[in-house]
Amino acid sequence: MTWLDWGALALFFICWLGYAPILKAISRRGGSLNADMVHVRSVWMTAMTHRELKLVDSQLMGHSINSASFFASTNLLLIAAVAGILFGGETALRGFAAVGAENVPLKMLEAKLALVLVCLTRGFLDFIWALRQMNYTLALIGAAPEVHHKTDRKAFADAAGQLLNPALAAFSQGVRGYYFALAAAAWLFGPVWLAMGVVSAFSLLIYRQEASPAARAIRNARRLLDG
């Protein structure tokens, strides 16, 4: 590996592992889509405890579970494809290299594919954890007190929100894994491509959290809910 490879790889890990802390620091100043959604989901759980029928809430959770299941299944297929090449022996690696990486040594090719595999595997684990927590949240929705019951609704809503928010945060982290897996795949074309890929992925993610139309809409909705 050249110094360019090491530098691009260091940039990749700084952006990949440092994304969450950097976003948290940014959100302290002006907010972010994820931070606003934490508040919106907490309001949702509070409203859920005051509804006589929880059918709408359970259906919404069902849609979220289906989405996480779809992404987890797709992720598993991608992991199988990359692992099949990486662990398929020299023939599989040479066959893959013939597509567009003829000048890359096999050991270097293994390292590049391993980076893609690590990103996908971490994303898959995030999706699995998100699914488990979503199912736990669904159980809490089913166990929510009836309107005439004297249970502390605010405390129950807070407990449900404390479960739902990490679940969907894990789902977001799993989706984020796709961005960085694509950036890692750019390393197949060289270290400059890896650096460009990770900067592009990181910038796009920050933009969507801070300045995208969706982020502005959620921010406005949060202000209305606060009001």
Side-chain angles (χ1 to χ4, degrees):
M1 287 176 61
T2 66
W3 66 271
L4 279 174
D5 287 298
W6 285 113
L9 196 58
L11 178 64
F12 176 87
F13 281 107
I14 289 171
C15 291
W16 184 33
L17 301 179
Y19 174 82
I22 292 171
L23 182 62
K24 187 176 181 180
I26 292 173
S27 66
R28 288 198 189 101
R29 296 199 305 268
S32 68
L33 193 153
N34 282 354
D36 291 334
M37 282 304 301
V38 167
H39 182 78
V40 170
R41 287 191 289 263
S42 296
V43 173
W44 171 23
M45 290 294 100
T46 300
M48 179 271 298
T49 61
H50 290 84
R51 275 194 278 269
E52 186 172 355
L53 293 176
K54 312 298 191 296
L55 182 61
V56 173
D57 306 288
S58 60
Q59 286 179 331
L60 291 173
M61 279 304 306
H63 286 304
S64 297
I65 290 171
N66 288 336
S67 297
S69 298
F70 169 77
F71 278 104
S73 300
T74 304
N75 206 315
L76 190 58
L77 292 174
L78 292 173
I79 289 172
V82 175
I85 298 170
L86 185 59
F87 302 112
E90 187 174 332
T91 303
L93 286 169
R94 290 192 183 280
F96 177 77
V99 176
E102 298 92 341
N103 299 323
V104 179
L106 290 185
K107 291 295 182 184
M108 191 68 176
L109 185 59
E110 288 178 344
K112 294 179 178 183
L113 289 173
L115 183 61
V116 177
L117 186 61
V118 168
C119 292
L120 292 172
T121 302
R122 182 186 173 183
F124 178 71
L125 295 175
D126 288 328
F127 286 130
I128 293 299
W129 181 225
L131 277 169
R132 291 185 65 184
Q133 292 179 95
M134 287 179 192
N135 279 286
Y136 300 153
T137 305
L138 197 57
L140 285 185
I141 291 174
E146 299 295 335
V147 175
H148 60 273
H149 205 275
K150 294 183 178 180
T151 304
D152 187 343
R153 300 183 189 284
K154 182 65 169 62
F156 190 91
D158 289 343
Q162 289 167 9
L163 182 58
L164 178 60
N165 280 315
L168 292 176
F171 175 77
S172 296
Q173 188 166 299
V175 173
R176 194 158 63 241
Y178 283 113
Y179 289 80
F180 286 100
L182 285 172
W187 194 17
L188 293 167
F189 303 101
V192 175
W193 284 96
L194 173 59
M196 291 173 57
V198 71
V199 169
S200 298
F202 186 84
S203 301
L204 181 59
L205 286 167
I206 292 294
Y207 162 75
R208 289 180 173 175
Q209 285 288 326
E210 294 293 319
S212 67
R216 291 197 297 269
I218 294 297
R219 193 168 298 125
N220 291 334
R222 176 180 177 174
R223 292 194 187 103
L224 292 171
L225 291 171
D226 288 340

